[in-house]
């Protein structure tokens, strides 16, 4: 896994334009759709119980994101996840805010128990909760002083999935393991950047069956694009950054990845 592989997967996404079915939260739907379009993938948001499974069956990847949680959405996610499982379509689960409330935690655990989740993406606090650790989570932001690399391995083994933990250093753990040092702190000042990241990872998984490598490549590309956007917009202008970030998701390519990608094999 290196910068060349990241560039190759990015080009494959842009050539194949995979359909990414996002059952995501209402706060980020527009930003997620625009981000996927800028990247070169094809977004769809169909979370009605009546059609979620049918849409999943024709997608290249399915994203389950519990940011704005309702009982109907959980049912739709489970239907879509099971349909994707039947077709061998990768499922990414983002357990937003797991640990913040009992209902949110129980819903996340139910999805994990009923759907074969191929990629689990969250912050350290969310992942720790799903591994059964006692930890305080405020809202949708995780906390704690976990050894993130150890936690990622624990989650991957316990939940039989590829685990992605994002933070100052992003960790991907599965059959292989990688650490990615790309990104910029201003990402945390714009809502939806974490949720969009999950969908970008899913788009890479749609064209690469080695989900560990696909996730590492997506994280590096995403981080490089963020670095370039921050450089252009300035570190103190989150609104300007959000627009420029979409531009950089569209413009970032082989040359930028070759020069700036930071992926470490663990």
């Amino acid at each position: 896994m290196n910068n060349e592989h990241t560039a190759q997967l990015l080009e494959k996404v842009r050539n194949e334009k995979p359909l990414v079915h996002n059952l995501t939260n209402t706060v980020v739907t527009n930003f997620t759709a625009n981000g996927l379009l800028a990247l070169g993938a094809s977004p769809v948001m169909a979370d009605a119980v009546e059609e979620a499974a049918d849409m999943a069956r024709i997608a290249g990847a399915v994203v389950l994101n519990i940011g704005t949680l309702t009982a109907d959405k959980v049912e739709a996610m489970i239907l879509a996840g099971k349909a994707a499982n039947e077709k061998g379509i990768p499922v990414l689960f983002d357990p937003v805010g797991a640990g913040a409330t009992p209902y949110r935690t129980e819903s996340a655990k139910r999805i994990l128990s009923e759907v074969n989740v191929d990629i689990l993406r969250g912050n350290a606090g969310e992942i720790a909760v799903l591994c059964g650790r006692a930890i305080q989570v405020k809202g949708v932001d995780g906390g704690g002083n976990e050894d993130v690399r150890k936690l990622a391995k624990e989650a991957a083994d316990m939940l039989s999935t590829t685990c992605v933990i994002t933070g100052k250093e992003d960790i991907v753990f599965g059959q292989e393991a990688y650490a990615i040092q790309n990104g910029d702190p201003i990402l945390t000042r714009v809502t939806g950047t974490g949720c969009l990241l999950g969908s970008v990872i899913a788009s890479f998984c749609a064209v690469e069956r080695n989900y560990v490598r696909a996730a590492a490549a997506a994280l590096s590309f995403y981080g490089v694009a963020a670095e370039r956007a921050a450089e252009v917009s300035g570190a103190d202008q989150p609104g300007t950054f959000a627009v420029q970030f979409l531009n950089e998701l569209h413009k970032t390519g082989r040359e930028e990845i070759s020069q700036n990608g930071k992926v470490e094999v663990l």
Side-chain angles (χ1 to χ4, degrees):
M1 176 67 208
N2 52 36
N3 290 345
E4 176 60 24
H5 189 213
T6 296
Q8 289 175 357
L9 284 182
L10 173 60
E11 291 175 359
K12 194 172 182 182
V13 170
R14 287 173 172 166
N15 288 335
E16 297 187 14
K17 301 185 185 306
L19 180 67
V20 181
H21 181 197
N22 303 272
L23 292 92
T24 191
N25 74 78
T26 56
V27 177
V28 305
T29 304
N30 180 265
F31 189 72
T32 298
N34 281 334
L36 288 175
L37 287 171
L39 161 64
S42 299
V44 64
M45 280 71 176
D47 61 3
V49 171
E50 293 81 1
E51 68 169 352
D54 291 332
M55 190 64 74
R57 293 186 183 99
I58 62 172
V62 172
V63 176
L64 312 179
N65 177 308
I66 63 170
T68 49
L69 193 57
T70 67
D72 285 347
K73 283 187 177 181
V74 172
E75 297 305 324
M77 287 180 187
I78 290 172
L79 288 171
K82 288 182 175 179
N85 290 164
E86 291 169 2
K87 301 283 287 187
I89 295 165
V91 176
L92 181 144
F93 178 42
D94 190 340
V96 180
T101 67
Y103 177 62
R104 190 167 289 271
T105 303
E106 290 161 9
S107 296
K109 290 182 176 180
R110 181 185 169 198
I111 290 169
L112 284 170
S113 69
E114 297 191 34
V115 176
N116 179 23
V117 170
D118 299 289
I119 309 99
L120 176 66
R121 188 218 79 86
N123 61 41
E126 293 159 350
I127 302 301
V129 166
L130 296 179
C131 286
R133 300 191 185 187
I135 185 170
Q136 181 69 35
V137 176
K138 293 183 178 179
V140 298
D141 295 319
N145 297 310
E146 302 291 345
D147 179 335
V148 176
R149 296 184 181 189
K150 181 179 178 181
L151 176 61
K153 182 181 187 305
E154 178 183 340
D157 292 343
M158 178 183 296
L159 302 172
S160 300
T161 189
T162 293
C163 181
V164 177
I165 299 182
T166 51
K168 290 183 178 180
E169 176 184 67
D170 300 325
I171 303 297
V172 185
F173 215 106
Q175 293 180 332
E176 306 168 44
Y178 298 96
I180 299 89
Q181 282 88 29
N182 289 115
D184 190 275
I186 199 171
L187 282 166
T188 64
R189 311 305 298 172
V190 178
T191 191
T193 56
C195 298
L196 171 58
L197 172 59
S199 296
V200 170
I201 293 172
S203 71
F204 276 65
C205 291
V207 303
E208 170 57 70
R209 303 301 292 185
N210 184 323
Y211 299 141
V212 181
R213 294 185 179 184
L219 285 158
S220 183
F221 157 72
Y222 198 82
V224 169
E227 292 166 2
R228 288 168 53 80
E231 183 177 354
V232 172
S233 65
D236 59 347
Q237 299 189 81
T240 304
F241 169 82
V243 174
Q244 188 59 36
F245 185 44
L246 294 177
N247 294 336
E248 295 300 338
L249 287 172
H250 179 69
K251 295 193 296 182
T252 297
R254 180 178 297 273
E255 181 178 351
E256 293 78 18
I257 290 168
S258 176
Q259 292 175 353
N260 301 300
K262 299 175 183 176
V263 180
E264 174 190 354
V265 179
L266 299 180

